[in-house]
Amino acid sequence: MAIPTEGEIIQIHSYKHNGRIHRVWQETMVLKGTKNIVIAANERTLVTEADGRTWVTREPSICYFHAEHWFNIICMLREDGVYYYINMSSPFVYKNQRLKYIDYDLDVKVFPDMTYTILDEDEYAQHKKDMNYPEEIDGILNRNLEKLITWIKQRRGPFAPDFIEAWTSRYQFYKQLNE
């Protein structure tokens, strides 16, 4: 698998289990790229939905993708603090300036005080049935949801206090280089 280069602009492609495209983020800047981790950032980027609708992200976001964990984490930098939106998803793959993953419907929203809410359980149940998610996938997702909640409670990974500061600083550095 190819590895994205720091400072490179890539697209993020989200798919559903049936192979259909779900959502595309047009421009995201890579801040760190290894075979296992991609940390990236975007701000006011165009997003295209599967049905062709488009919208633009509102705030700067730091994005965390891992090649071994079944979730990705979007850290949204708002005036009143950092909000996290986590997609329960397949590990990422990277090819041709596109980071790709399968979105498995379940989401977790984490607030600045580190309280959290699990979202879209009904959508997950429906898609599990409609797209015939294998039981193995269900088990993997449940184990990774438990791991994610442990990370939140222990302030690990992107939930660590210094994560946002470090990666926001790197994002500002690359933005200045490109201006």
Side-chain angles (χ1 to χ4, degrees), residues 45-56:
T45 191
L46 180 67
V47 180
T48 304
E49 301 287 341
D51 64 6
R53 288 181 302 124
T54 60
W55 53 279
V56 176

Side-chain angles (χ1 to χ4, degrees), residues 37-170:
I37 294 174
V38 171
I39 299 173
N42 60 45
E43 183 176 2
R44 295 185 198 92
T45 191
L46 180 67
V47 180
T48 304
E49 301 287 341
D51 64 6
R53 288 181 302 124
T54 60
W55 53 279
V56 176
T57 60
R58 290 182 292 193
E59 62 268 314
S61 295
I62 305 295
C63 311
Y64 175 91
F65 298 92
H66 203 284
E68 295 174 0
H69 301 308
W70 284 66
F71 53 80
N72 60 67
I73 303 170
I74 312 304
C75 314
M76 298 171 291
L77 313 176
R78 296 185 178 161
E79 285 185 24
D80 62 335
V82 179
Y83 289 77
Y84 301 84
Y85 197 88
I86 299 99
N87 299 294
M88 298 307 296
S89 66
S90 68
F92 80 89
V93 295
Y94 178 77
K95 186 176 181 182
N96 298 328
Q97 293 183 299
R98 289 175 175 84
L99 184 144
K100 301 176 184 183
Y101 65 90
I102 298 170
D103 182 305
Y104 279 104
D105 317 307
L106 279 177
D107 300 309
V108 179
K109 185 172 184 178
V110 181
F111 300 90
D113 66 358
M114 291 295 145
T115 58
Y116 62 89
T117 305
I118 298 172
L119 306 169
D120 302 327
E121 292 174 286
D122 53 341
E123 183 181 346
Y124 175 76
Q126 187 64 49
H127 284 170
K128 179 181 174 185
K129 182 179 161 189
D130 293 347
M131 294 184 223
N132 298 311
Y133 294 173
E135 286 303 315
E136 179 183 25
I137 295 287
D138 193 51
I140 290 169
L141 292 170
N142 282 317
R143 285 190 302 278
N144 276 267
L145 181 57
E146 288 175 18
K147 181 187 301 179
L148 173 69
I149 290 169
T150 298
W151 281 24
I152 295 166
K153 290 177 178 176
Q154 294 178 352
R155 310 290 194 267
R156 290 182 52 199
F159 306 104
D162 58 346
F163 180 90
I164 294 299
E165 187 177 316
W167 294 107
T168 301
S169 176
R170 172 118 13 135

